[in-house]
Amino acid sequence: MSMLFSPLMLGQLELANRIIIAPMCQYSAINGQATDWHTIHLGSMALSGAGMLILEATAVLPNGRISYADLGLWDDKTEFALANVLKSVRQYSSMPIAIQLAHAGRKASTRKPWEGGGSIAPDEPNGWQTVAPSAQAFNEDTALPSAMTFDEIDELIAAFVSSAQRAERIGLDAIELHAAHGYLLHQFLSPLSNQRLDEYGGSLENRLRLLLAVFDAVKAVISPKMALGVRISATDWVEGGWDLVQSIVLAKELDARGCDFIHVSTGGLSPLQQIPVAEHFQVPFAKAIKAEVYMPVIAVGLITDANKAEAILAQGQADAIALARTMLYNPHWPWHAAATLGATVKAPPQYLRSAPHAVKSPIV
């Protein structure tokens, strides 16, 4: 049997296969509210045959959005809008759906990528004051964030809890806490962005404190049937920054707390990063973390070939494979992978006649 198409348990949540659709921001929300675009986009992804779909980075507070067009889940309006999208998608797909809860910190208040993606100053339309562990900008072109107070940190933890409760209320199956790619929880982890002198800064123990507090608080309010995981950047790719050794310490802490999965990416914190981009360049980090924890490890990053994805799992380098841009380019990648590996995936009956005559249909 293909490893890629074998079942996987994330806590109490069973996935039919080990293909994960990674979060992909769509910059198509209005005041944080999901729109018809999300119905179309998520509907397409949910018919792909993957094991699980993770919704894009979803802000727990308005000032936590990367751009003014980001998805949110912080009040009744944003909850209602996303619930309506899920209701439509779920009519035709039983695929487990997760949500990535996030706060962008100092990388917030930007334009959409196709508008240039640049920073928007707090006093400009669609801009706001950003926050961070320390008053240190991402680069010279971004506004200076304000260092978070203890009250703001407490409000942030409460916001993650509230969003998690909303996520479960509208029927989502899992939550991924976004502590990667230079966003707020990652900013607290890295000594490059966290210059605090209090209990949230300095030592590794202190820099882990906020993420672990968010994890514990969320886990305490969701039911055991809901899987809870974390996405991390395993290295900043900058000397003196967050690295694999620290990531392993974090992973062990999360493992001990009952984390259901860890999703291993890299980079995004500093413009000084030097990333050796190549096929599967992030997989060794997943492999190293997998050797130290019991929870499932998801690998991601330039994994596009079905046979190579199979080999990553067969060699014990990861427990699941996440795809992002690959799925945007080819939403039926799991169908083609199943055909290549002699497996099958579930598809709606409307599509059962779609396989070419020369190919044994991989969809059932």
Side-chain angles (χ1 to χ4, degrees), residues 313-334:
L313 301 181
Q315 294 165 10
Q317 298 180 76
D319 298 290
I321 301 295
L323 308 172
R325 290 174 177 85
T326 296
M327 289 297 300
L328 290 181
Y329 193 71
N330 180 8
H332 290 154
W333 189 92

Side-chain angles (χ1 to χ4, degrees), residues 59 79 86 92-93 102 152 174 215 220 234 239 248 262 281 353 361:
E79 179 183 340
L86 291 174
Y92 303 104
S93 173
E152 288 174 323
F215 179 88
E239 177 127 8
I248 289 173
I262 189 166
F281 73 102
R353 297 177 295 162
S361 179

Side-chain angles (χ1 to χ4, degrees), residues 106-127:
R106 69 181 188 178
K107 293 181 75 174
S109 189
T110 71
R111 295 175 175 84
K112 300 176 185 180
W114 52 88
E115 296 171 346
S119 175
I120 302 177
D123 58 351
E124 293 181 5
N126 294 320

Side-chain angles (χ1 to χ4, degrees), residues 41-359:
H41 165 65
L42 297 173
S44 172
M45 294 294 108
L47 301 180
S48 67
M52 183 170 75
L53 165 61
I54 307 178
L55 304 188
E56 64 193 87
T58 303
V60 299
L61 289 168
N63 73 349
R65 293 172 293 170
I66 303 167
S67 81
Y68 63 90
D70 277 27
L71 192 64
L73 188 58
W74 61 70
D75 62 8
D76 291 346
K77 290 182 179 179
T78 52
E79 179 183 340
F80 180 76
L82 186 54
N84 281 341
V85 168
L86 291 174
K87 181 180 178 181
S88 295
V89 172
R90 283 260 166 79
Q91 289 183 72
Y92 303 104
S93 173
S94 60
M95 179 186 296
I97 301 178
I99 190 168
Q100 185 184 69
L101 296 181
H103 192 295
R106 69 181 188 178
K107 293 181 75 174
S109 189
T110 71
R111 295 175 175 84
K112 300 176 185 180
W114 52 88
E115 296 171 346
S119 175
I120 302 177
D123 58 351
E124 293 181 5
N126 294 320
W128 58 86
Q129 177 60 52
T130 58
V131 297
S134 307
Q136 182 180 19
F138 175 70
N139 61 34
E140 61 185 15
D141 297 321
T142 58
L144 191 70
S146 62
M148 294 181 73
T149 65
F150 289 130
D151 285 345
E152 288 174 323
I153 289 173
D154 289 343
E155 290 168 3
L156 176 73
I157 296 170
F160 270 98
V161 167
S162 176
S163 294
Q165 291 172 315
R166 293 179 186 278
E168 182 159 22
R169 187 157 59 227
I170 62 177
L172 287 161
D173 301 290
I175 292 170
E176 178 176 273
L177 302 177
H178 198 358
H181 301 163
Y183 299 122
L184 186 58
L185 295 179
H186 183 183
Q187 291 163 28
F188 270 86
L189 294 175
S190 176
L192 298 177
S193 50
N194 185 344
Q195 303 294 315
R196 299 177 73 97
L197 300 177
D198 56 27
E199 59 262 45
Y200 289 101
S203 69
L204 176 58
E205 179 183 6
N206 284 354
R207 286 182 281 115
L208 297 182
R209 191 179 307 279
L210 178 58
L211 173 54
L212 295 179
V214 169
F215 179 88
D216 289 344
V218 169
K219 188 172 180 59
V221 299
I222 59 174
S223 63
K225 68 178 183 180
M226 196 168 199
L228 177 60
V230 177
R231 190 171 196 181
I232 68 167
S233 283
T235 179
D236 289 337
W237 296 110
V238 179
E239 177 127 8
W242 182 257
D243 58 20
L244 179 59
V245 172
Q246 296 171 88
S247 292
I248 289 173
V249 174
L250 170 60
K252 287 182 174 180
E253 288 283 351
L254 291 169
D255 209 32
R257 284 169 155 78
C259 190
D260 293 315
F261 63 92
I262 189 166
H263 191 169
V264 182
S265 188
T266 64
L269 183 106
S270 169
L272 300 177
Q273 64 188 14
Q274 296 293 317
I275 303 178
V277 178
E279 185 180 58
H280 304 176
F281 73 102
Q282 296 179 146
V283 173
F285 297 94
K287 178 183 178 182
I289 290 172
K290 179 172 166 54
E292 301 289 341
V293 297
Y294 295 101
M295 62 181 158
V297 175
I298 303 171
V300 67
L302 294 182
I303 304 170
T304 60
D305 180 88
N307 285 308
K308 293 178 180 178
E310 178 77 12
I312 290 168
L313 301 181
Q315 294 165 10
Q317 298 180 76
D319 298 290
I321 301 295
L323 308 172
R325 290 174 177 85
T326 296
M327 289 297 300
L328 290 181
Y329 193 71
N330 180 8
H332 290 154
W333 189 92
W335 295 12
H336 303 299
T340 297
L341 298 172
T344 59
V345 292
K346 188 175 180 180
Q350 293 91 332
Y351 289 171
L352 292 179
R353 297 177 295 162
S354 64
H357 289 296
V359 176

